[in-house]
Structure formats: structure tokens, C-alpha cells
Amino acid sequence: MELLIDTNVIIDYFMNRDQKNSGTDELFEYIHEGKISAYIAAHTVPTIWYILRKSLAPAERRNLLRALFSCFSISSVGEKELLSALDRDDFSDFEDCVQDECATSIHARYIITRNKKDFSHSRIPALLPEEFISLMG
């Protein structure tokens, strides 16, 4: 089963934000143990770098991102995904639309996000981490 993990879930995990009873720790355990195939969109990497710049030194950010590459595959963002996202007017946030295009390109079963409402027009169903963990039972 392939999943695309939204940027906000990764950042929450790295910053230890809102993880109690949220399913994020269990999700990352499944990923680390290889029980699921997890992807991040290529544009997630520079976004994480930018967001973490105020709380982590460059060396710490590099180490975190290298660790991310050990557990996650990367869904490319190319001309096809960007043009397809530009053609869609059903998303209010372009970046979320690009996430959906990346999830579609890898045939993801779900997008795991903290903001399900932002994916109400997604081709791929969006779940909160805790919803996904409940499905896994």
C-alpha cells in the first residue's frame, strides 16, 4: 500500500507537535518497519528545510532530511504534475493540489494529512494519521 505523507505531518513529527493520540508515532513506526510504502512529494523537502530554519541549525536539518530519505520514497514533481495542477480550479491551495497530483502519479491509496478539509476535492482520499492507524487495526 502506497501513501503520500503531507508536509504538515512530517513537520509535526520532526517538531514533536501534537503527537499524543494523533497516530503520527504509529504511522512512522509502520513506515520505519517497512509495513507500508510511504512517499513525500519532492517539493516537501525544501519546504521542510525552510520551515525548520528557525528552530534547527543547518546541520540538524540536513541530518533530519537524510533520515527522511532512508524511510520515504520521493514522488517527483515535474511538468506533467504542475500543468495538471494549474488546470484544476477545485483546490484553494495550489500546493495541496500539487500534493494530490503527486499522490495520483504514484497511485497512492491515501494522502495522510493534518488538514483533510484542504483535500476535499482530491482524487486520492485524505486521512488523518489517526484515521489511517484505525484502518490498519
Side-chain angles (χ1 to χ4, degrees), residues 69-83:
F69 279 90
S70 70
C71 296
F72 290 82
S73 297
I74 304 298
S75 176
S76 296
V77 178
E79 182 178 356
K80 177 184 165 215
E81 290 79 18
L82 293 171
L83 285 172

Side-chain angles (χ1 to χ4, degrees), residues 61 75 94:
R61 284 181 277 161
S75 176
F94 181 70

Side-chain angles (χ1 to χ4, degrees), residues 24 27 36 42 65 101 123 130 133:
T24 305
L27 173 66
I36 54 175
L65 290 172
E101 291 295 331
R123 293 179 181 137
E130 57 268 30
I133 295 304

Side-chain angles (χ1 to χ4, degrees), residues 103-123:
T104 300
S105 74
I106 61 161
H107 308 287
R109 180 108 181 248
Y110 300 109
I111 297 171
I112 308 300
T113 184
R114 286 269 166 240
N115 300 313
K116 269 178 57 172
K117 65 177 176 48
D118 293 343
F119 290 91
S120 61
H121 297 285
S122 179
R123 293 179 181 137

Side-chain angles (χ1 to χ4, degrees), residues 9-136:
V9 175
I10 304 290
I11 290 170
D12 284 350
Y13 183 77
F14 281 163
M15 307 244 347
N16 293 315
R17 292 191 305 206
D18 193 34
Q19 290 184 22
K20 187 174 182 172
N21 301 318
S22 71
T24 305
D25 286 338
E26 294 89 347
L27 173 66
F28 274 74
E29 284 176 29
Y30 280 133
I31 294 166
H32 183 72
E33 294 169 0
K35 293 180 180 177
I36 54 175
S37 297
Y39 287 77
I40 56 172
H43 68 282
T44 293
V45 176
T47 301
I48 291 170
W49 179 270
Y50 178 77
I51 290 172
L52 296 180
R53 80 192 182 291
K54 291 183 179 180
S55 56
L56 297 175
E60 293 172 298
R61 284 181 277 161
R62 282 186 180 86
N63 288 336
L64 280 176
L65 290 172
R66 283 189 182 103
L68 196 67
F69 279 90
S70 70
C71 296
F72 290 82
S73 297
I74 304 298
S75 176
S76 296
V77 178
E79 182 178 356
K80 177 184 165 215
E81 290 79 18
L82 293 171
L83 285 172
S84 183
L86 285 171
D87 287 340
R88 296 174 68 184
D89 60 3
D90 52 349
F91 274 80
S92 60
D93 184 322
F94 181 70
E95 190 272 337
D96 290 331
C97 189
V98 174
Q99 291 278 11
D100 185 46
E101 291 295 331
C102 289
T104 300
S105 74
I106 61 161
H107 308 287
R109 180 108 181 248
Y110 300 109
I111 297 171
I112 308 300
T113 184
R114 286 269 166 240
N115 300 313
K116 269 178 57 172
K117 65 177 176 48
D118 293 343
F119 290 91
S120 61
H121 297 285
S122 179
R123 293 179 181 137
I124 304 299
L127 295 174
L128 299 170
E130 57 268 30
E131 291 174 324
F132 177 74
I133 295 304
S134 291
L135 282 178
M136 293 295 286

